[in-house]
Amino acid sequence: MVQNSKVTESKRLHEVFGDYFSIGAAVNSKTIHTQRDLLSYHYNSITAENEMKFESLHPCEHHYTFEHADRLISFAKEHEMEVRGHTLVWHNQTSKWVFEQQDGNLVDRQTLLKRMQSHIETVMKRYKGQIYAWDVVNEVVSDKNEEMLRPSKWLDIVGEDFISKAFEYAHSADPNALLFYNDYNEFVPKKREKIYSMVKSLKENGTPIHGIGLQAHWNLEYPTQDLIRQGLERYASLGLQLHITELDVSVFNHDDRRTDLVEPTEALMEMQAERYEMFFNIFKEYSDVISSVTFWGAADDYTWLNDFPVRGRRNWPFPFDSNHQPKKSYWKLLDVARS
Ligand code: HAH
């Protein structure tokens, strides 16, 4: 296990970017222990990687399991961090019972909407005042060019308005919470335009939506600086807040399936540092609309990318290495903050 005491005396990330946006990390029940010192030193915001997803909180209709989520909330309180909630309505990691009646057939629209509302209310009311922003709806826009919305049980059973309903339920459960639509591949022009027009029409119809969560699962080539700028301009024109919600920088391009790398090379880490420099220069430039930047993890000893998209392959996507020591990327971030 990595020793927590090895965190260096380097400048705190959340302090150097304090004038621009909060700096967050996705955490889980393990990393709040194994990465405790790093997390409390450099970050002033956390998101639960899995612990607040539907299947984690609500495995059966009349049974909620809040223990793990509660512990993350206590961790945040203890270290004076803010919490982003992730996520209420999603096609993944959602318990099957939600969509089914006793005999295994699908429920009707009214029943599903009731269940959605009851889930959203119970979860949001429990964490009222402790979670300031929620990813209410996650990843409903399709990656396929000719398709607007991703096929899902939510869409099949309720129809398109499951999206606006989720925001309405969320707003009435906690009127003070900031409500976000969150998605990935958000800078791919075709998908960007679909996200843009969906959010635009939600806004125009009076749906309580306050921001767009840009996941930012990026790599050494994608996206280009131009795509990021075009995307930020487009999203910012909606007059909503933007949060970078799940930032990581893979050392592999998405379609690269190589599995031979057991350690990151100097050259890769150098390229990654340049990528982080470019990203944060842009985030700083757009800090009037970007109010939070969250990494989907904190240091290279743990990342979901160790299993995705290639099972068992390691990756090194963060500014801190497996021993929680600053990488070149970290030093570049300091340069950006100071420039
Ligand atoms: C995200 N999906 C989810 O929002 C998050 O909850 C999960 O822990 C990890 C990533 C991203 C995603 C992707 O980059 C590619 C295909 C599907 C989903």
Side-chain angles (χ1 to χ4, degrees):
M1 199 179 94
V2 179
Q3 280 167 9
N4 274 308
S5 57
K6 282 177 82 182
V7 172
T8 59
E9 300 298 305
S10 45
K11 294 250 184 245
R12 296 172 189 256
L13 276 186
H14 78 80
E15 279 183 9
V16 298
F17 286 105
D19 287 343
Y20 304 107
F21 29 70
S22 56
I23 296 286
V27 303
N28 62 45
S29 300
K30 261 194 195 162
T31 60
I32 57 167
H33 302 293
T34 58
Q35 300 181 333
R36 185 195 60 217
D37 290 355
L38 184 78
L39 289 166
S40 60
Y41 192 79
H42 285 290
Y43 304 82
N44 58 354
S45 177
I46 58 166
T47 307
E49 184 190 21
N50 291 303
E51 284 76 354
M52 295 183 191
K53 290 172 180 172
F54 202 118
E55 68 174 10
S56 305
L57 290 180
H58 199 177
C60 330
E61 182 162 17
H62 300 293
H63 181 59
Y64 282 86
T65 40
F66 285 119
E67 297 75 13
H68 292 287
D70 285 356
R71 257 176 249 138
L72 302 186
I73 296 276
S74 312
F75 179 85
K77 218 179 273 170
E78 189 185 331
H79 299 289
E80 295 173 47
M81 299 159 125
E82 54 187 28
V83 184
R84 293 193 83 259
H86 177 81
T87 178
L88 296 165
V89 174
W90 191 24
H91 63 281
N92 257 336
Q93 291 176 266
T94 301
S95 320
K96 263 180 72 183
W97 68 262
V98 192
F99 307 108
E100 293 174 358
Q101 47 188 40
Q102 298 255 321
D103 63 9
N105 286 323
L106 295 182
V107 293
D108 60 21
R109 170 184 155 92
Q110 280 316 319
T111 309
L112 186 54
L113 282 175
K114 275 232 163 66
R115 287 178 177 181
M116 180 201 270
Q117 176 167 32
S118 150
H119 176 80
I120 290 176
E121 272 202 355
T122 308
V123 174
M124 286 187 73
K125 286 189 170 156
R126 183 178 186 90
Y127 298 123
K128 220 177 196 158
Q130 308 184 74
I131 295 186
Y132 81 104
W134 272 100
D135 294 330
V136 177
V137 174
N138 200 32
E139 304 179 348
V140 297
V141 169
S142 174
D143 291 297
K144 297 192 182 135
N145 283 346
E146 306 315 321
E147 187 174 71
M148 177 68 187
L149 294 179
R150 171 194 307 281
S152 74
K153 294 228 174 79
W154 294 111
L155 180 61
D156 276 359
I157 299 171
V158 176
E160 289 186 11
D161 64 339
F162 79 95
I163 300 165
S164 56
K165 291 282 184 206
F167 282 96
E168 282 158 24
Y169 299 152
H171 187 60
S172 77
D174 181 358
N176 293 321
L178 296 174
L179 308 181
F180 281 73
Y181 173 69
N182 190 50
D183 212 334
Y184 68 92
N185 282 348
E186 68 283 3
F187 289 92
V188 173
K190 286 240 163 69
K191 190 163 177 186
R192 176 193 78 207
E193 288 309 302
K194 287 189 270 186
I195 296 172
Y196 171 86
S197 48
M198 182 188 77
V199 172
K200 185 164 186 279
S201 72
L202 287 170
K203 249 198 102 186
E204 284 168 358
N205 294 327
T207 303
I209 177 170
H210 310 111
I212 306 179
L214 309 167
Q215 289 189 11
H217 291 294
W218 293 344
N219 62 46
L220 300 179
E221 279 179 12
Y222 169 82
T224 61
Q225 151 142 241
D226 285 350
L227 282 178
I228 300 174
R229 286 181 191 284
Q230 285 158 20
L232 291 174
E233 286 293 329
R234 193 74 170 138
Y235 292 129
S237 75
L238 289 166
L240 298 168
Q241 298 193 38
L242 305 179
H243 282 183
I244 305 295
T245 52
E246 307 187 13
L247 177 62
D248 45 26
V249 182
S250 170
V251 304
F252 305 105
N253 294 341
H254 190 79
D255 296 324
D256 183 349
R257 301 284 139 147
R258 72 183 279 197
T259 53
D260 57 313
L261 209 60
V262 291
E263 248 188 287
T265 63
E266 280 289 304
L268 285 172
M269 294 298 91
E270 184 67 48
M271 283 156 74
Q272 185 180 58
E274 282 165 25
R275 295 288 282 166
Y276 269 117
E277 178 182 30
M278 185 265 276
F279 299 153
F280 274 75
N281 268 319
I282 299 179
F283 297 161
K284 229 180 105 176
E285 219 177 285
Y286 284 86
S287 61
D288 54 333
V289 280
I290 299 175
S291 42
S292 165
V293 176
T294 292
F295 295 83
W296 208 237
D300 289 346
D301 52 317
Y302 175 74
T303 164
W304 74 297
L305 295 172
N306 286 342
D307 264 317
F308 183 87
V310 177
R311 262 269 182 73
R313 181 181 69 183
R314 286 215 54 185
N315 211 322
W316 301 270
F318 298 119
F320 298 97
D321 71 16
S322 299
N323 294 314
H324 303 178
Q325 298 304 301
K327 292 162 59 176
K328 289 196 169 77
S329 294
Y330 167 85
W331 299 112
K332 282 285 189 206
L333 293 187
L334 285 199
D335 291 346
V336 172
R338 280 195 283 243
S339 70

